[in-house]
Amino acid sequence: MNKLNNNFKLYEFFIGLTVTIMITCDTLVYKTFDFYSVKITASGIIFSLCYLLSAITTEVYGYKKAVRIIWIVVVCQSFFVILVNICSVIQFNNNQIAETYKLLFGDFWRVMIGTWISVPASYFVNSYIISKLKIYFRGRLFLIRYMISAMIAQAVLLITAYPISLSSKYSIIELINIILSTWTYKVIMSTILLPVGILLAKQVKKIENIDIFDHNISYNPMKVFSRKMTNENNTTY
């Protein structure tokens, strides 16, 4: 039985949840928690959930459908950031609330630029590693595949996104501190979320009655919406 072209029960749910979490991260990008000399962004705390969802969607639905979610996230984030940025800059009444919005989101366009670069780069890396290692390990050792992909992909995200989105708010030293501390936190959170990821991936596979292996597919992210047949192999429970 081939369900590759059929509707899935939870795929749209994962799309909506991922977009919601990403937009929440955008809103909280300037918020930091200070622990003595260590700064951790609120978005960095929440963002670990996105990599958990990305790992699960790639594990269950395969690279192609996981990358489709990435492009949807980028488009939705762009609209969100543009609208918030425009509304915060245009001031008809110079009241305190309007000035606060302008102060906070006047440079919000930086987040959009960071999104265009960092989100595709980090998520493509994450999905690619999960997909390739799943084939290499023959579907086993999800915990190792999840941790390797999370550590590398989150490093890609922080190195590409934070210098763009936070450079106007923090000094170079503070920015380096934020990147290092946030990456460390993300690795710790990935470890904590690992049992959740293992359980969810197993349950979603059972609910969807499928498990995709990306044998001999094109990993070109620009072709994930193509209707051309691929060589995805699936195991039906």
Side-chain angles (χ1 to χ4, degrees), residues 52-220:
L52 176 66
L53 295 178
S54 178
I56 293 173
T57 53
T58 306
E59 176 73 13
V60 177
Y61 303 105
Y63 175 85
K64 186 174 182 179
K65 287 183 172 58
V67 174
R68 286 180 182 178
I69 297 179
I70 299 172
W71 286 124
I72 293 171
V73 167
V74 170
V75 172
C76 292
Q77 277 188 296
S78 298
F79 274 109
F80 173 75
V81 172
I82 289 172
L83 293 175
V84 171
N85 201 175
I86 291 175
C87 291
S88 64
V89 171
I90 298 176
Q91 304 290 333
F92 295 104
N93 298 312
N94 292 324
N95 55 57
Q96 185 176 358
I97 295 178
E99 290 298 326
T100 301
Y101 268 101
K102 184 176 181 179
L103 177 64
L104 186 58
F105 297 114
D107 291 332
F108 212 36
W109 57 269
R110 293 176 180 268
V111 175
M112 184 175 66
I113 295 177
T115 294
W116 288 341
I117 298 174
S118 63
V119 171
S122 61
Y123 270 93
F124 293 156
V125 168
N126 186 66
S127 295
Y128 179 83
I129 293 175
I130 287 287
S131 175
K132 282 293 190 180
L133 290 182
K134 183 176 182 179
I135 296 173
Y136 181 79
F137 289 115
R138 299 180 180 179
R140 300 187 298 268
L141 301 177
F142 177 76
L143 71 165
I144 295 177
R145 295 184 279 122
Y146 171 68
M147 288 303 301
I148 292 175
S149 63
M151 292 173 65
I152 297 176
Q154 290 179 23
V156 172
L157 174 84
L158 295 174
I159 292 172
T160 55
Y162 280 22
I164 297 173
S165 60
L166 300 180
S167 59
S168 65
K169 303 293 182 181
Y170 300 98
S171 67
I172 295 178
I173 299 300
E174 288 178 321
L175 189 59
I176 293 175
N177 186 352
I178 291 173
I179 291 174
L180 291 177
S181 58
T182 303
W183 182 83
T184 302
Y185 169 82
K186 285 175 177 289
V187 172
I188 295 174
M189 279 301 301
S190 295
T191 304
I192 294 173
L193 291 173
L194 179 57
V196 178
I198 295 174
L199 178 62
L200 285 179
K202 182 178 180 180
Q203 292 302 315
V204 174
K205 287 178 183 178
K206 288 184 178 180
I207 293 172
E208 298 289 19
N209 195 35
I210 202 168
D211 187 10
I212 300 294
F213 285 78
D214 298 311
H215 290 290
N216 302 317
I217 68 166
S218 170
Y219 282 95
N220 186 343

